Amino acid sequence: MKASAESILEVRDLVKHFPLTQGIIVKRQIGAIKAVDGVSFDLHRGETLGIVGESGCGKSTLAKLLMALERPTSGSVRIHGKDITKAKGAELKRMRRNIQMVMQDPYTSLNPRMTVGDIVGEPFEIHPDVAPKGDRRRRVQELLEVVGLNPDHINRYPHQFSGGQRQRIGIARGLALQPEIIICDEPVSALDVSIQAQVMNLLERLQNEFGLSYIFIAHDLSVVRHISDRVAVMYLGKIVELGTDSEIYDSPTHPYTQALLSAVPVPDPEGRETRQRIILQGDPPSPANPPSGCHFRTRCWKAQDICAQQVPVLERRPGSDHPSACHFAEVRDVVNAQ
Amino acid sequence: MTEVLSEQVGSGSRSGALLEVDNLHVEFHTRAGVAKAVNGVTYSVDAGETLAVLGESGSGKSVTAQTIMGILDMPPGKITGGEIRFRGVDLLKLPEDQRRKIRGEGISMVFQDALSALNPVFPVGWQIAEMFRMHRGTSRAEAKKKAIELMDRVRIPAAKDRVNDFPHQFSGGMRQRIMIAMAIALDPEILIADEPTTALDVTVQAQIMELLAELQRESNMGLILITHDLGVVADVADKIAVMYGGRIVEHAEVHDLYKNPAHPYSKGLLESIPRVDHKGQELYAIKGMPPNLLEMPSGCAFHPRCPYRRETCETDVPPLYTISGTRGSACHYWREVIDEGQR
């Protein structure tokens, strides 16, 4: 959790548009889903950057772009100064070793026909120079031990493990290549409440032990606050507010962040009758046809003419010390935030 | 509707609450063995009241709800004991045609996943109107008109234009509203909501919870809210029943439970919530895993994970000890748990 100022991941103006086509033989492009629409941020060594937002806001597409599983429409993702989006062949393979992923659903992200040893050891098959063949079994057992599983269970299959244990297998696989960056896409949301805390503790312990940097994508805001050093709030493909955890949770300035925080139910019934809550109307608009200007204006209670004409830039606004993409950014105390 | 019902089932004595589940036992017979999903669950709900049933997957909370509704698959399910009294009459002894009458008119249910609970090949308006056609024999045109009214009532914008749309044309939140419209169509006295917001975003969750609260105020329904979310419970519940391994381990008024839990499991759950002042520290985690229903631990089902464990816990199944009034805890050492307070 001791983040240094050195940034190991630099994301600049990242854009991913998925084309919408019409016609069966002759395909014409009639529009685009703007899944990620100009995202920039830095990730420092040993830091956890939390990314929150509703479904459809582009969190998972962003994760795929960082992993180079999708090619961006434009923009760059630099790891130690090298752009992974332009890398090809052997170079891409080498770069990918440094950035790994833990998936959301431990029930579908593990191949049921492979043993735990094969699953955790598969990265070594792809990158044989990390661990020589004779050494692999021992390495896999070490990894299992690191994530708190019994190394003797190396020959078992995923169905013989519980949800929490399966997520540990997924984490061990992510650690296999000793990456510097791990992207956790909703790593605890499929787990039972009593198991979530165990997995969160494991992730924090591993970060301290190996100096990992995390991109932590989740919709549970209290979980994100617990683990993150900084938090980015996304809405319809854009980051609308970015700051340290206390800046975002204690003094949010963007109306969307405020609404999101106030919608989180507080696990304490005291004073619930008097609690103020901002309830947004309707659903997020379609990313195929986002509103002009500020994407949030159609659901915003502060919207004025300027919001429809000018796209608000993510920058530091008067009266606040962290960037916010709102023309009328203003600190509002959201008591609810946990 | 109340008249129709009271004619049919109103003959029983009405001493207790509107709906009472009394010492219910449900098993599933599988090839691997007998899974005791519900082992003596007792709870009650009155009109206008909200009972939250809190528990992890496999705790038996949904099976209890399905048994109340009479939609449990039998076999493999089997009710091996207990009563479910609605207005004093044991539903488990009623013939199917009378239960069918109660389903929808007396007690109805909202499911977790609206997309798979709705029929994809019929328009939503048709599916809502089905309630009136089947239960009341309303004409098609009249039923459709009522469906539109209901869609208005659950705040679906432009209900008139959307009544012929199909489920896939709605967003997750709107689909859940349609489910709610179907559930409240016949003015039930009890609404069971099984994880109604788990699949939804927080902003939409807030909308749906507000809608449920409003509908409850308007019609004074009893609400059974099944969830694993401690935040949602704290927001809306009057009473809580915490379930673990097919049993109720703690039963309390909402304020009492959050202030000072009386069972190690509820206490562990509350402590494992990430809190601002604990940032940077390790989270409290209940060790171990939820029990396997096929091989339940002896004695108290929670004992392998419990920090208060003694020898008696491994042999004696704790009854639900009465602490005060409606409050109960199924822990031999509840006094210790309460005295220690929250860390």
Side-chain angles (χ1 to χ4, degrees), chain A residues 131-149:
Chain A
K133 231 182 184 138
D135 198 29
R136 277 181 205 162
R137 201 180 154 82
R138 195 183 56 78
R139 289 288 288 273
V140 169
Q141 286 184 322
E142 270 176 25
L143 283 165
L144 291 179
E145 201 155 8
V146 164
V147 297
L149 291 172

Side-chain angles (χ1 to χ4, degrees), chain B residues 260-278:
Chain B
N260 199 355
H263 192 280
Y265 176 64
S266 356
K267 193 176 155 84
L269 282 183
L270 284 174
E271 280 172 10
S272 61
I273 301 172
R275 285 176 195 275
V276 183
D277 43 328
H278 292 181

Side-chain angles (χ1 to χ4, degrees), chain A residues 55-294:
Chain A
S55 46
C57 73
K59 305 183 297 250
S60 294
T61 307
L62 178 64
K64 285 184 190 159
L65 289 170
L66 300 181
M67 293 284 297
L69 294 173
E70 294 274 2
R71 294 267 151 179
T73 310
S74 65
S76 67
V77 177
R78 286 176 197 283
I79 301 173
H80 287 302
K82 276 205 191 114
D83 193 348
I84 193 169
T85 64
K86 304 239 161 51
K88 282 196 185 83
E91 196 194 4
L92 176 63
K93 197 168 149 185
R94 215 181 52 242
M95 288 183 81
R96 273 184 171 152
R97 199 193 286 170
N98 219 356
I99 180 161
Q100 293 285 314
M101 194 162 179
V102 175
M103 310 274 180
Q104 171 173 10
D105 185 353
Y107 293 87
T108 55
S109 62
L110 303 177
N111 187 337
R113 298 167 66 145
M114 283 165 78
T115 64
V116 171
D118 292 340
I119 291 172
V120 178
E122 199 179 18
F124 298 137
E125 301 277 328
I126 300 163
H127 302 272
D129 43 324
V130 178
K133 231 182 184 138
D135 198 29
R136 277 181 205 162
R137 201 180 154 82
R138 195 183 56 78
R139 289 288 288 273
V140 169
Q141 286 184 322
E142 270 176 25
L143 283 165
L144 291 179
E145 201 155 8
V146 164
V147 297
L149 291 172
N150 186 343
D152 297 336
H153 293 172
I154 186 166
N155 288 325
R156 294 201 178 183
Y157 287 89
H159 74 265
Q160 293 171 293
F161 294 89
S162 69
Q165 289 175 320
R166 283 185 226 205
Q167 198 55 295
R168 286 170 195 263
I169 298 170
I171 293 170
R173 174 174 62 184
L175 285 175
L177 299 173
Q178 300 164 347
E180 291 176 286
I181 305 165
I182 293 190
I183 298 173
C184 305
D185 190 358
E186 303 266 11
V188 296
S189 59
L191 304 177
D192 272 322
V193 195
S194 72
I195 305 298
Q196 284 190 2
Q198 295 176 2
V199 172
M200 296 274 293
N201 284 341
L202 172 67
L203 287 170
E204 292 217 85
R205 204 193 80 216
L206 294 173
Q207 179 166 48
N208 292 335
E209 220 162 287
F210 300 107
L212 299 167
S213 308
Y214 288 143
I215 303 252
F216 194 93
I217 300 173
H219 67 268
D220 185 331
L221 290 137
S222 58
V223 165
V224 169
R225 171 160 211 184
H226 181 79
I227 203 167
S228 303
D229 301 305
R230 287 189 304 145
V231 177
V233 183
M234 280 186 78
Y235 187 77
L236 275 191
K238 283 186 191 301
I239 293 182
V240 294
E241 191 164 357
L242 179 67
T244 64
D245 62 295
S246 55
E247 283 167 349
I248 296 288
Y249 285 79
D250 297 336
S251 48
T253 63
H254 196 284
Y256 177 64
T257 314
Q258 292 161 359
L260 197 63
L261 287 172
S262 87
V264 178
V266 184
D268 184 1
E270 289 313 316
R272 64 183 180 186
E273 291 78 16
T274 55
R275 219 168 267 159
Q276 288 222 336
R277 178 160 282 187
I278 310 162
I279 295 207
L280 292 178
Q281 297 306 310
D283 298 304
S286 158
N289 187 19
S292 65
C294 172

Side-chain angles (χ1 to χ4, degrees), chain B residues 66-116:
Chain B
Q66 286 170 5
T67 317
I68 296 173
M69 282 297 285
I71 53 171
L72 188 71
D73 281 332
M74 292 192 283
K78 196 174 172 212
I79 300 163
T80 51
E83 286 189 356
I84 296 171
R85 289 189 294 274
F86 178 61
R87 305 179 145 267
V89 173
D90 185 5
L91 296 182
L92 300 177
K93 293 203 181 74
L94 285 186
E96 179 53 32
D97 60 324
Q98 288 193 34
R99 286 211 81 178
R100 192 160 186 204
K101 200 87 201 166
I102 291 171
R103 208 177 291 145
E105 298 191 34
I107 309 170
S108 68
M109 187 160 173
V110 176
F111 298 90
Q112 170 174 2
D113 184 358
L115 187 59
S116 52

Side-chain angles (χ1 to χ4, degrees), chain A residues 54-55 162 192-194 197-198 201 225-226 228 245 265-270 272 275 277 280 282-283 338, chain B residues 56-57 171 201 203 205 207 228 231 234-235 237 255 258 273-274 276 279 281-284 286-289 305:
Chain A
E54 291 171 280
S55 46
S162 69
D192 272 322
V193 195
S194 72
Q198 295 176 2
N201 284 341
R225 171 160 211 184
H226 181 79
S228 303
D245 62 295
V266 184
D268 184 1
E270 289 313 316
R272 64 183 180 186
R275 219 168 267 159
R277 178 160 282 187
L280 292 178
D283 298 304
Q338 259 294 307
Chain B
E56 306 180 274
S57 43
S171 67
D201 283 314
T203 54
Q205 168 173 297
Q207 295 170 1
H228 64 264
D235 247 6
H255 292 279
Y258 278 79
I273 301 172
V276 183
K279 193 176 154 77
Q281 299 168 24
E282 197 162 275
L283 282 175
Y284 175 79
I286 302 177
K287 57 180 188 174
M289 288 173 278
R305 308 174 73 186

